[in-house]
Amino acid sequence: MIEDSINTDYPELSVKALFDKQARETLRINLIKDHKGRLSEDASHRILSEIVGLGFFEELIKDESITDIGYNGTDLWVKTSDTKRRMHHPDLNEAYILKIIQRFSNYVHQEFSEKSPILNAQLDNIRINAIHRKLSPTGTTMSMRHARNRLVLTHENWHQFAHDAVFDLLDLCLKIGINLVITGEVGTGKTELQKLLIGSIPDDFKLIMVEDTLETHLKDIYPDKDILSWLVAPGFSHTQFIKEALRNDPVYTVLSEARDHAIYEIHQSVLSGHKILLTAHSVNARAFIPRMIGMTKQKFHVDEASLKQEILRYYDFGIHLDKRTVHGKTLRFISEVVEYTDAGLQTLYSKDVTIDPQTQHLSETQQFYPLSDAMVDRLYKYGYSPQWNERIKER
């Protein structure tokens, strides 16, 4: 009865109430008035959560540790930064999932049905993808990612990620302006590392952030920095935004993920003297160069040898991330830092994590190698005394 009355008397307000707190409170007050005080404060909140909100999903979204919520057609799974678990709920079934998806689709005015069986939507900090059972024989599927406007990787937990000396080196080099590429497979923490390292870039350096989903929230995390935050949308590609970035005179162009021929426009910005900080999928640090060449050749005819030499000459560092599952938790770490030089990629740091199959004991090995003379001279030129090589000698 209450649901019918809301849909009849407050149709627009009921849609807005999904994410608009003020709209939901207005609706709640009207609901209490309409039912002449028969609804308690607690009951009105719970009823609206089910009728216009996301039901028990709202509690999952409020949980700061949860990053992903997924329904695979039969089961609900939730992920935190280091664990993944199956969840059970008495109300959970495909009909309930469809109701949640429909709320998102109504909010963004997109149809989700057999005629339009795929939904991609971004609301506030939540990104949702849903596939209708027409295309998913085992049942409708849904993936929901909640990007928090905070740092997951911090100075306090860096020691789990890599040696402190690695952060000191990167922090120093970002202050002078370097071209940095972060690589790794899905879920290794590339974006979180990128977000943390942006904190080392001087506040007066103009940054332009280009991403296809609202995930980094840089302006919330670094309110004192000069940041332009742009979101790729239909009709506005990475390539267009990278070209527009050059017209805004940034020191750094930050790209959330390099995945197609737009990488060549990024490369042109490097050749014109701008700095880049980007992430890309790659099996290791050295695989980025052939992958970049392959992405470039999707659209442009280039001489591979010349392009490779330009990358080696004008890029500075590559960082590769890896992960291991240890006792049911995911451990993410920097597996290698390389320096780009005319002679090729030179390893500066490597870390390996192994697990004894019998005892499940975790062991780590870390190796350090010297910076090139050219990078040392460059740091001294800017008034910085790099301690990296001295630390290696001490070891």
Side-chain angles (χ1 to χ4, degrees):
M1 180 188 68
I2 292 174
E3 185 170 8
D4 289 342
S5 67
I6 288 175
N7 291 335
T8 301
D9 299 333
Y10 310 104
E12 292 185 7
L13 204 57
S14 68
V15 173
K16 289 182 180 179
L18 179 63
F19 281 101
D20 189 324
K21 293 181 180 178
Q22 185 175 349
R24 188 177 296 197
E25 182 61 17
T26 301
L27 186 58
R28 192 182 70 82
I29 292 170
N30 290 342
L31 193 65
I32 291 174
K33 288 179 180 177
D34 292 346
H35 292 273
K36 298 180 172 48
R38 287 176 292 178
L39 288 177
S40 68
E41 183 98 359
D42 182 59
S44 64
H45 282 294
R46 286 188 289 107
I47 288 171
L48 283 180
S49 175
E50 288 295 338
I51 293 177
V52 301
L54 297 177
F56 71 84
F57 279 83
E58 293 190 350
E59 294 303 315
L60 299 179
I61 290 171
K62 289 177 184 177
D63 188 334
E64 288 288 325
S65 68
I66 293 176
T67 59
D68 294 85
I69 305 168
Y71 184 75
N72 63 11
T74 54
D75 299 297
L76 182 70
W77 291 83
V78 298
K79 285 176 62 177
T80 67
S81 60
D82 59 4
T83 63
K84 179 179 178 179
R85 68 183 187 276
R86 192 200 313 257
M87 284 200 65
H88 299 281
H89 193 279
D91 296 332
L92 184 65
N93 53 38
E94 186 177 7
Y96 195 95
I97 295 296
L98 282 168
K99 181 174 68 172
I100 298 300
I101 297 170
Q102 205 63 55
R103 301 242 168 99
F104 276 93
S105 68
N106 291 341
Y107 196 91
V108 297
H109 306 292
Q110 293 181 26
E111 183 181 358
F112 183 72
S113 63
E114 288 191 3
K115 293 181 180 179
S116 300
I118 297 177
L119 174 70
N120 283 300
Q122 175 97 33
L123 295 175
D124 287 351
N125 298 348
I126 298 175
R127 185 177 79 210
I128 184 172
N129 170 266
I131 308 294
H132 196 276
R133 69 178 298 114
K134 177 185 178 182
L135 303 179
S136 178
T138 59
T140 301
T141 66
M142 180 194 71
S143 295
M144 193 184 297
R145 166 159 286 191
H146 195 174
R148 313 276 179 183
N149 55 350
R150 60 183 173 84
L151 294 174
V152 174
L153 179 63
T154 65
H155 300 288
E156 287 70 29
N157 59 25
W158 176 270
H159 64 279
Q160 300 171 4
F161 202 64
H163 196 279
D164 288 343
V166 176
F167 180 82
D168 293 342
L169 173 66
L170 295 173
D171 179 67
L172 194 62
C173 291
L174 284 163
K175 285 179 169 57
I176 70 171
I178 60 166
N179 294 309
L180 180 61
V181 179
I182 302 170
T183 60
E185 298 181 5
V186 175
T188 50
K190 298 184 295 298
T191 300
E192 290 303 325
L193 175 59
Q194 185 183 52
K195 286 161 60 177
L196 176 64
L197 292 181
I198 283 170
S200 296
I201 297 173
D203 288 353
D204 60 343
F205 280 19
K206 179 184 280 187
L207 281 72
I208 296 181
M209 178 74 216
V210 180
E211 53 189 333
D212 51 10
T213 58
L214 188 58
E215 193 170 11
T216 58
H217 303 284
L218 294 182
K219 292 183 73 67
D220 292 331
I221 296 171
Y222 301 112
D224 295 329
K225 290 187 180 294
D226 185 9
I227 300 174
L228 282 66
S229 183
W230 295 345
L231 193 62
V232 173
F236 299 91
S237 66
H238 284 90
T239 300
Q240 288 173 289
F241 274 131
I242 293 164
K243 289 181 178 179
E244 293 302 320
L246 298 183
R247 297 187 175 102
N248 284 268
D249 191 30
V251 176
Y252 268 96
T253 300
V254 184
L255 189 63
S256 63
E257 184 184 336
R259 63 163 65 92
D260 59 21
H261 55 79
I263 191 70
Y264 191 63
E265 298 297 340
I266 280 283
H267 182 64
Q268 294 304 309
S269 73
V270 170
L271 296 183
S272 65
H274 296 83
K275 305 302 178 185
I276 62 165
L277 174 52
L278 61 87
T279 68
H281 289 121
S282 177
V283 295
N284 56 50
R286 285 166 171 73
F288 172 72
I289 294 180
R291 183 152 192 266
M292 178 175 171
I293 293 172
M295 288 189 286
T296 298
K297 293 183 71 175
Q298 291 175 7
K299 184 175 180 180
F300 301 98
H301 296 288
V302 295
D303 180 85
E304 292 187 21
S306 297
L307 179 55
K308 178 180 179 179
Q309 199 56 42
E310 287 176 351
I311 297 169
L312 291 172
R313 178 167 298 171
Y314 297 111
Y315 291 46
D316 296 301
F317 291 111
I319 304 174
H320 189 73
L321 310 185
D322 204 346
K323 62 180 179 179
R324 299 280 190 278
T325 300
V326 184
H327 306 307
K329 293 188 176 183
T330 301
L331 174 68
R332 296 172 177 84
F333 58 95
I334 292 178
S335 61
E336 189 175 23
V337 178
V338 297
E339 182 182 353
Y340 287 77
T341 73
D342 285 338
L345 294 181
Q346 307 295 326
T347 299
L348 298 177
Y349 169 80
S350 65
K351 177 177 178 177
D352 191 25
V353 176
T354 57
I355 307 166
D356 188 301
Q358 300 296 326
T359 64
Q360 291 295 296
H361 178 70
L362 183 72
S363 61
E364 298 180 359
T365 57
Q366 300 180 84
Q367 298 291 328
F368 300 78
Y369 306 90
L371 284 167
S372 69
D373 292 340
M375 180 57 71
V376 171
D377 291 344
R378 186 172 163 191
L379 285 164
Y380 274 120
K381 176 183 176 183
Y382 281 90
Y384 294 106
S385 174
Q387 302 298 314
W388 182 262
N389 290 0
E390 285 77 359
R391 291 190 186 192
I392 294 170
K393 290 176 183 176
E394 291 173 3
R395 289 176 179 275

